[in-house]
Each structure stands twice: as C-alpha cells, then as structure tokens.
Amino acid sequence: MDPILSPVPAEALVNSKLLQIYRGNIVPALCEEGDDGNYGSTAVQDVHVLQTMSTRIYYGLFVAESKFRSETEKATKLIEAGDRDGLMDFITKADVEAKNIQRVILKSRTFSQNISAGEDGQLAPLLSKGTTYKIKPEYIGTVFRDYIMPLTKEVEVEYLLKRLRKEREDPPAKRQKTNGE
C-alpha cells in the first residue's frame, strides 16, 4: 500500500519556529516574571505543550494532501507555477478558520475555569460574572489565530510546493510495476 503522504520536505518542518514563538511570545504572555523553582514539572509541561502544538500543526500535512486530492488539477497548476500566494488562497477557508478560533475559545473557557466547590449533584460549573479562569480564553484564541494557524498553513504550502516531486521521480505506473501490482 502506498503511503498517504508524499515525502515531507525540510521546508515544511517548523519546530524551530514554534519553539522560538513559544519562548519569545507565548510563555512571556502567560507567565509572571520570576523563578518559581518548579524546573522539572515546568520542563515536562513545556514539552507536552510544544508536542501538542506541533502535532496540531503537522495535521496540516494531511489536510493539504486531502485538499490536493480533492482538487488535483487546480492544485497542480498552482504547484507547477510555484504560486505560494495562490496555494495559500487554495488552502485557506476563512469561515472554517473563524469557527475553529471560536471553538478554541469556547473549549478554553470550559477547561480553564477556576472551579469552586459545587453543590451535590452538580455536574458542571455554573457560569456567572464571577467566573474566573486560570488563563484568558481569548488569549488562547489569539495563540491559535496568530501562531498555530499560520504555522499550519506554512507547513501545508511548503508541502504542496514539493508535492509533485515524488510523482515526477516515481510515476504511479512505475510504482505499480515495482510493487508487483
């Protein structure tokens, strides 16, 4: 069986950019300045957060492949022309992005609430004007909009720009013969 993705080019690897954004923008916006002495648990959580963001960003490879397969002719023309802006337009669905940002904010509101003791039988916290959060939900939406989504789209465009390389080097008919199909 053929792999789902074409080879991922080095240009589509953005972990160093993500780390730079995390250290330079996200952590300073979330953390108070100073030393809390929790080096081990902080390091574990930093790795977990970076891995989670990276995984989310690299799901873009599968999204790009799906978009390529659903509109192969259009994508191929843009790729062959080396049209980065055209590919960015091709992969961008503004209405979907806006819904995703709202979904992220809603999830953040749900999961970052400071929950005080509930009443017997209460299964969810009650929202009120006094509801407080461990982190500002709108900031998580901003992180998603300003950092995660642009890096994801960068990965998608870089992947698509090299997407035809494997087919040129190893056309499907040749692959079938090689695989004994």
Side-chain angles (χ1 to χ4, degrees), residues 26-68:
I26 297 172
V27 169
L30 294 176
C31 300
E32 295 176 10
E33 202 167 317
D35 185 345
D36 66 3
N38 293 316
Y39 309 121
S41 58
T42 298
V44 168
Q45 291 305 312
D46 284 340
V47 168
H48 177 72
V49 168
L50 285 163
Q51 286 177 328
T52 301
M53 289 192 298
S54 180
T55 299
R56 170 59 180 82
I57 289 165
Y58 290 119
Y59 282 151
L61 293 167
F62 295 96
V63 172
E65 182 65 25
S66 173
K67 290 176 181 179
F68 176 85

Side-chain angles (χ1 to χ4, degrees), residues 6-164:
S6 289
V8 178
E11 297 86 357
L13 303 178
V14 296
N15 283 340
S16 61
K17 288 181 183 180
L18 176 59
L19 181 59
Q20 200 172 20
I21 289 167
Y22 184 72
R23 285 180 172 164
N25 300 83
I26 297 172
V27 169
L30 294 176
C31 300
E32 295 176 10
E33 202 167 317
D35 185 345
D36 66 3
N38 293 316
Y39 309 121
S41 58
T42 298
V44 168
Q45 291 305 312
D46 284 340
V47 168
H48 177 72
V49 168
L50 285 163
Q51 286 177 328
T52 301
M53 289 192 298
S54 180
T55 299
R56 170 59 180 82
I57 289 165
Y58 290 119
Y59 282 151
L61 293 167
F62 295 96
V63 172
E65 182 65 25
S66 173
K67 290 176 181 179
F68 176 85
R69 290 182 185 192
S70 67
E71 294 186 68
T72 304
E73 188 176 320
K74 181 178 181 178
T76 298
K77 287 179 184 175
L78 293 167
I79 293 166
E80 287 175 342
D83 186 351
R84 286 179 185 278
D85 293 336
L87 284 169
M88 188 62 76
D89 290 341
F90 173 71
I91 64 169
T92 299
K93 307 289 186 248
D95 58 325
V96 173
E97 289 180 5
K99 287 178 186 174
N100 282 338
I101 293 166
Q102 287 305 311
R103 181 182 51 80
V104 165
I105 292 170
L106 180 60
K107 283 186 175 186
S108 180
R109 280 190 187 132
T110 302
F111 294 111
S112 71
Q113 290 180 46
N114 288 313
I115 299 173
S116 57
E119 297 177 20
D120 282 344
Q122 182 180 345
L123 299 176
L126 301 174
L127 287 178
S128 71
K129 291 183 184 213
T131 300
T132 60
Y133 301 94
K134 294 176 181 85
I135 187 170
K136 292 180 182 173
E138 290 72 20
Y139 181 69
I140 301 304
T142 299
V143 167
F144 197 76
R145 183 193 66 227
D146 293 351
Y147 305 121
I148 305 299
M149 288 172 60
L151 285 174
T152 303
K153 289 163 71 169
E154 180 180 334
V155 164
E156 290 182 41
V157 168
E158 293 299 337
Y159 171 78
L160 288 171
L161 282 169
K162 302 287 194 237
R163 171 63 179 74
L164 300 177

